[in-house]
Amino acid sequence: MTTGVPTLLLLLAGAGTPRGLPHEREAVPGLAAESGRPTASSAPEPRYLPEDTVESALSPGERFRIHFTRQGKHAVPVADADGSGVPDFVELVGRTYERVATFYAGLGFRLPPDDASPAGDDGGDGRFDVYLVDFGGIGDGAFRQETCREGATRCTGFMLQENDFTGYGYPSDAEAVEILASHEFFHAVQAAYRPGLGGIASEGTAVWATERFEPALDDLEGFTRGYMISPDSTLVLDPAGPGVSFTYGAGLFFQLLGERYGDGVLVALLEESVRQPEARWPVLLDTCLRRDFASSFDEAFTLFATWNLGTGPRATPGFGYARGEGYAPVTTTAVALPHTQDRVRVAAAASRLFEVPGGASFVGTSFEPEPGTDLAALHLIIAAVTEDAVLRVVTANGPEALRAQVAADDATRVVVAVVDGRKEGLGRYGRLCIAATGQAASCAPLEAQDAGTEPGTTDAGTDAGTVDAGRPVDPIDDPRPPADDGGCQTAGGPLSGALVALLLGGGLRARRRSRAR
């Protein structure tokens, strides 16, 4: 609870002209009829009705002004247990946004600039504004961008958030507000740098931000399926059509970045977006990884493809994600042994995954690109797995011919992934071969080769790195401290009304995100 009575500003939003209590009928500076904010009759839905009395209260740290009404369809729950005169729900929203802003600032991110405007609607002052409105079941929150201060950077905006979460399936108002505040406010953080990074970077980093703010929330866990059902889709281009689940699921890639390189890589990505205002996000990320982290986009994506083998039931202590057991398992294509496929296509920043029976002494694989293909950033991963663990992983890296094998006598399945780690480019084609010891195939393994029998060894003759999954692929130090106790729309315009329904936790929970077209 807050102490004292937060400052109240009572407004009546009728035709964009404020009217309040009889003694507060004077116009509030900055409020204009042409405003796109929900207090204006010309604003897109959701917006307040002319008869709604719209009030506002300051958050405890006075960085946010929370706008709400107690009447009509946009009414917030009116319970006021502390007798402050402000509904408890409104105080919850204010406290949560303060926590989120403090947390992001502590990670090194810029916060949104002051939005004070003498010419337009700024909500009454320069504080960041959150409007509690009824989305009618087609969304639950959205950041609306307004103006940019420096060309295409330093943009301001405001937040729309569901007024009561009735019928949304969240376990509590507190969890709902934490998810919405951490996700949607991160879009405002993005706009403080440079908006327009694209749906995958915008939504993916916002999903990461929620997980980073409070790992106990299950937003990332639920969204991972959107990526894991189609790992053959490229990460470097936004999907065409109704691909919203993939863009949210891409949060898993940014989770990999945070776990492997630390929070600084996400801060660096946004900072670099200001220095290179025309560059696409994979180029920005590659710049940061090469300059500051002795890595590259190719290396990060290949590690991502490797870690994705150990999620869901196959999450293995010491291998990959810190909380991989909560993530959806990656989708593979089951094929019989031996298997050859003459024209396998793999897109940039994507992987093609195949799964064959285990039990053989060794399973080998090769990928032969079509003549004239540039072999840079092509990788072949072969992993011996069981239903509930990753046993060992072998990788073969271009530009040499891609061939690898793995000991599989104790494995129930073997997974093969063809990985393209480029940050841009068209798809590449090649011939895939998978075979077990003794089978008549060009990729049949040679038992004399080192194929994973010694944990952590590398056979330079085959350019295959072997890793025993009982130890980390890379040293993993979880950078996240204990929980701090203290869909979306990233541009102006009407909400799309997209609905995302995902299996979260133990049951079906509808998570509604609105997104810009």
Side-chain angles (χ1 to χ4, degrees):
M1 299 295 181
T2 58
T3 58
V5 180
T7 303
L8 290 179
L9 177 64
L10 303 179
L11 299 175
L12 180 63
T17 303
R19 290 185 293 136
L21 298 179
H23 59 285
E24 294 183 353
R25 289 185 180 273
E26 67 273 17
V28 176
L31 198 58
E34 65 272 17
S35 168
R37 299 193 176 210
T39 46
S41 61
S42 59
E45 294 284 0
R47 62 176 179 269
Y48 295 113
L49 302 176
E51 61 269 22
D52 292 341
T53 300
V54 182
E55 309 172 45
S56 72
L58 298 185
S59 61
E62 299 191 354
R63 286 186 285 199
F64 297 88
R65 185 174 289 280
I66 315 301
H67 303 259
F68 64 97
T69 184
R70 305 174 196 248
Q71 62 197 94
K73 71 174 185 177
H74 298 295
V76 299
V78 296
D80 181 17
D82 63 353
S84 66
V86 178
D88 298 336
F89 183 83
V90 176
E91 292 183 325
L92 170 66
V93 171
R95 290 196 306 271
T96 305
Y97 273 84
E98 284 285 355
R99 287 176 52 213
V100 168
T102 298
F103 183 79
Y104 291 158
L107 296 182
F109 290 104
R110 302 181 187 180
L111 295 183
D114 186 302
D115 73 349
S117 172
D121 183 357
D122 57 13
D125 55 30
R127 295 179 177 87
F128 190 89
D129 297 286
V130 180
Y131 296 88
L132 304 181
V133 290
D134 178 29
F135 275 78
I138 64 169
D140 54 9
F143 168 67
R144 292 255 178 101
Q145 183 182 306
E146 290 184 302
T147 59
C148 300
R149 301 284 179 86
E150 302 167 15
T153 64
R154 300 289 288 167
C155 302
T156 64
F158 59 90
M159 200 72 66
L160 301 177
Q161 184 171 300
E162 172 63 23
N163 63 313
D164 59 11
F165 295 104
T166 299
Y168 279 75
Y170 288 100
S172 68
D173 286 345
E175 180 170 322
V177 175
E178 284 188 326
I179 289 174
L180 266 295
S182 57
H183 184 108
E184 303 299 340
F185 188 68
F186 199 75
H187 288 316
V189 170
Q190 295 164 354
Y193 294 88
R194 185 197 104 189
L197 287 177
I200 286 176
S202 175
E203 298 301 345
T205 57
V207 170
W208 165 83
T210 293
E211 178 75 4
R212 185 65 179 86
F213 170 69
E214 179 48 82
L217 299 173
D218 62 1
D219 225 39
L220 172 64
E221 286 78 0
F223 284 130
T224 54
R225 183 174 181 274
Y227 177 83
M228 294 297 232
I229 61 174
S230 55
D232 55 337
S233 297
T234 179
L235 264 187
V236 300
L237 294 175
D238 288 344
V244 63
S245 62
F246 184 83
T247 61
Y248 282 83
L252 188 58
F253 176 67
F254 297 98
Q255 179 68 18
L256 172 284
L257 293 177
E259 290 195 31
R260 177 64 181 86
Y261 304 103
D263 302 322
V265 70
L266 281 306
V267 177
L269 173 62
L270 293 185
E271 292 287 355
E272 191 63 29
S273 74
V274 178
R275 288 189 284 267
Q276 299 188 56
E278 303 300 324
R280 299 174 59 253
W281 75 265
V283 175
L284 301 174
L285 178 59
D286 188 63
T287 299
C288 297
L289 288 173
R290 290 180 183 278
R291 183 189 63 216
D292 303 328
F293 299 92
S295 187
S296 65
F297 183 90
D298 175 26
E299 182 177 323
F301 185 83
T302 305
L303 187 62
F304 176 58
T306 304
W307 282 21
N308 288 347
L309 301 178
T311 60
R314 284 179 179 157
T316 304
F319 177 89
Y321 301 104
R323 297 177 177 84
E325 67 278 0
Y327 304 158
V330 69
T331 298
T332 62
T333 299
V335 296
L337 284 171
H339 175 76
T340 58
Q341 192 167 331
D342 287 334
R343 208 160 188 264
V344 172
R345 179 185 184 274
V346 59
S351 53
R352 295 291 303 276
L353 290 98
F354 301 84
E355 191 166 318
V356 299
S361 297
F362 297 92
V363 173
T365 185
S366 65
F367 184 73
E368 302 173 19
E370 291 184 339
T373 300
D374 178 9
L375 297 182
L378 269 177
H379 311 273
L380 192 60
I381 300 172
I382 184 168
V385 304
T386 63
E387 299 306 313
D388 58 4
V390 177
L391 303 178
R392 61 192 66 86
V393 178
V394 177
T395 62
N397 305 307
E400 290 79 15
L402 299 178
R403 183 182 178 108
Q405 63 185 62
V406 68
D409 56 340
D410 56 349
T412 58
R413 308 292 291 175
V414 172
V415 178
V416 172
V418 183
V419 180
D420 187 329
R422 292 174 301 163
K423 59 184 179 296
E424 54 193 350
L426 300 176
R428 294 186 282 188
Y429 296 83
R431 182 178 185 274
L432 177 68
C433 175
I434 310 172
T437 302
Q439 293 182 329
S442 61
C443 62
L446 305 174
E447 292 196 53
Q449 282 185 309
D450 172 19
T453 55
E454 295 297 328
T457 63
T458 299
D459 183 348
T462 60
D463 193 27
T466 304
V467 179
D468 178 60
R471 301 191 300 178
V473 172
D474 276 298
I476 301 172
D477 295 316
D478 188 349
R480 292 166 291 193
D484 181 85
D485 57 5
C488 309
Q489 179 169 305
T490 57
L495 302 175
S496 70
L499 172 65
V500 181
L502 295 172
L503 284 171
L504 301 181
L508 181 66
R509 177 183 307 167
R511 285 283 172 77
R512 296 163 175 85
R513 292 278 192 256
S514 300
R515 61 190 178 91
R517 290 193 183 277

